[in-house]
Amino acid sequence: MKSVPHVAARPDAGAAQPATAVVPPDFRPDFGGHGAEGIERVRLAMDNLGLGFFETDLFRDTVRATPNTFAMFGLPPPPPGSNDAPRDIFWACYHPDDEGWAQARYAADLRRERSSDTYCERVRIIHAQTHQVRWLEVIGRIFGPADRRSHIVGMCRDVTALMEAEEQQRLLAIEVNHRANNVLAVSQALVAMTQAEDVPSFRRALQTRILALARTHDLLARSAWQTDLRSVVVNETAAFDDRVSVSAAPVLALRPSVVQALAMLLHELAINAAKHGALSEPGGTVAVTIAQNGKEISLTWREQGGPVIVAAPDRAGTGTVLMQRLARSMQASLVPIWTQDGLLAELRMPMTHCETR
């Protein structure tokens, strides 16, 4: 590991040295000048805030630091009787992707290229003992003129949790934007595909579909964008109380990318049953069965107790066309079978859309 070059020149052997050091050699910060009591306050503050303190001697390329600073890097503290450690052992822990730019910025700050005596960075390290990638924030004050830097005194802290939280927020913002675009696309498709004989009928049909879409998003929001297949069925058939039974084993967690399409498809089945099928009669019922068959998930919708069906419809209505499009968007197949007892529809979709809980 190469040392980072800096412009501080080593003092000549015969050169006169300043009477007082820029930084006290005994690196024991004291709050309020109260001796041991002040040092204990500092220790408690470091423990509670997770702060490590350090002093870098740029003439000797050594670092004097508190024990928790060494612990952040996974390095052992110097042996008893030795207060300093080589600066290069800290650089050796830097993540390969960050080491180059961090050393370049460090050297630039020593040359005071940014017109500041403050050194600040967030950098990834590889913990010397656990080999885990950690994020550290390092803030220091650089002492001495630009052509003769002498010391850096500063602190460091582990900010891994903070960086991970920021990354989660960034990913969440991307996901929210993606879902908003999806909602707009689905809404446009619903407007284009909804057909009716007059404006009031069109409004009612479109309204019910938009409300179904809103219910799905409410379900996802309440469950932190994680829900299961049974919950989606129950959510879309809740208006019919105990007339719809759902049997599901095992519990299958759905990937959010398919929840919207599946919920809209179930909504169309429920609306069709309420208008023309089993749910249009007082004694009619619907039984929904969910099962795992190898690499597929099957959802069977079975209606009973509705109007007697003499023959299958001679043409596909708007709802049927929409359901087939929704099924294809999930790489699924939807097969409707018209029996005398009522509609029997089977949806089959890849197991990759689900996760067994």
Side-chain angles (χ1 to χ4, degrees):
M1 177 67 63
K2 295 180 179 179
S3 298
V4 178
H6 59 79
V7 297
R10 295 183 181 277
D12 296 332
Q17 300 301 311
T20 56
V22 178
V23 180
D26 184 14
F27 186 57
R28 301 174 67 191
D30 180 359
F31 285 167
H34 297 297
E37 182 181 349
I39 293 173
E40 179 62 14
R41 290 176 183 171
V42 173
R43 188 190 66 78
L44 290 174
M46 290 189 298
D47 289 344
N48 292 333
L49 300 176
L51 299 177
F53 289 90
F54 66 90
E55 172 197 334
T56 300
D57 186 327
L58 297 174
F59 291 142
R60 295 187 298 165
D61 286 335
T62 58
V63 176
R64 178 175 297 185
T66 51
N68 61 340
T69 299
F70 287 93
M72 289 181 197
F73 286 84
L75 297 171
S82 174
N83 294 323
D84 300 333
R87 186 168 49 133
D88 283 349
I89 67 171
F90 295 96
W91 284 116
C93 295
Y94 274 47
H95 193 285
D97 292 342
D98 290 358
E99 182 182 6
W101 69 258
Q103 289 192 355
R105 179 180 295 179
Y106 180 78
D109 284 342
L110 292 182
R111 294 190 296 266
R112 211 171 188 272
E113 292 183 0
R114 293 193 292 178
S115 301
S116 174
D117 290 327
T118 300
Y119 172 68
C120 179
E121 69 178 9
R122 283 185 179 179
V123 67
R124 288 173 295 176
I125 66 159
I126 298 177
H127 195 276
Q129 294 182 12
T130 65
H131 306 294
Q132 293 179 333
V133 176
R134 309 293 297 176
W135 279 94
L136 296 187
E137 182 177 67
V138 183
I139 302 174
R141 171 74 183 276
I142 307 174
F143 291 87
D147 62 344
R148 195 176 176 81
R149 298 296 207 182
S150 61
H151 289 76
I152 302 176
V153 176
M155 68 177 190
C156 59
R157 61 173 181 151
D158 190 315
V159 292
T160 304
L162 177 62
M163 296 299 290
E164 289 176 349
E166 290 178 356
E167 176 65 9
Q168 284 293 103
Q169 289 181 338
R170 187 186 70 83
L171 294 175
L172 181 59
I174 294 174
E175 183 68 15
V176 168
N177 182 63
H178 173 68
R179 295 191 189 284
N181 289 335
N182 280 349
V183 170
L184 291 174
V186 172
S187 299
Q188 290 174 339
L190 292 178
V191 172
M193 295 184 62
T194 300
Q195 298 177 7
E197 296 178 355
D198 51 47
V199 173
S201 299
F202 175 85
R203 185 186 299 114
R204 284 193 299 271
L206 182 59
Q207 230 174 12
T208 59
R209 287 169 177 157
I210 296 295
L211 288 174
L213 189 62
R215 282 197 305 272
T216 303
H217 275 265
D218 182 59
L219 173 65
L220 285 170
R222 283 186 283 109
S223 59
W225 296 94
Q226 294 180 344
T227 190
D228 60 86
L229 189 47
R230 185 182 186 280
S231 295
V232 176
V233 176
V234 171
N235 192 62
E236 289 304 320
T237 58
F240 304 102
D241 298 325
D242 57 353
R243 297 178 64 187
V244 178
S245 62
V246 184
S247 173
V251 176
L252 297 165
L254 277 176
R255 299 188 186 280
S257 56
V258 299
V259 172
Q260 192 176 84
L262 178 62
M264 292 299 300
L265 191 152
L266 290 167
H267 169 75
E268 292 300 323
L269 284 171
I271 289 297
N272 181 75
K275 286 184 175 180
H276 313 292
L279 299 180
S280 67
E281 297 289 338
T285 60
V286 175
V288 179
T289 304
I290 300 168
Q292 179 180 344
N293 300 311
K295 295 183 179 180
E296 286 187 331
I297 300 298
S298 66
L299 185 151
T300 304
W301 175 282
R302 187 186 299 274
E303 298 184 20
Q304 289 183 319
V308 177
I309 298 177
V310 179
D314 54 1
R315 67 181 184 85
T318 303
T320 302
V321 173
L322 177 59
M323 284 190 290
Q324 291 295 349
R325 289 191 180 182
L326 290 168
R328 287 195 295 272
S329 74
M330 297 184 289
Q331 294 84 48
S333 64
L334 178 65
V335 179
I337 301 173
W338 302 93
T339 69
Q340 287 188 347
D341 291 334
L343 173 64
L344 172 63
E346 186 173 40
L347 176 71
R348 291 184 174 272
M349 60 182 179
M351 184 63 189
T352 53
H353 291 335
C354 301
E355 299 172 349
T356 305
R357 285 184 177 175

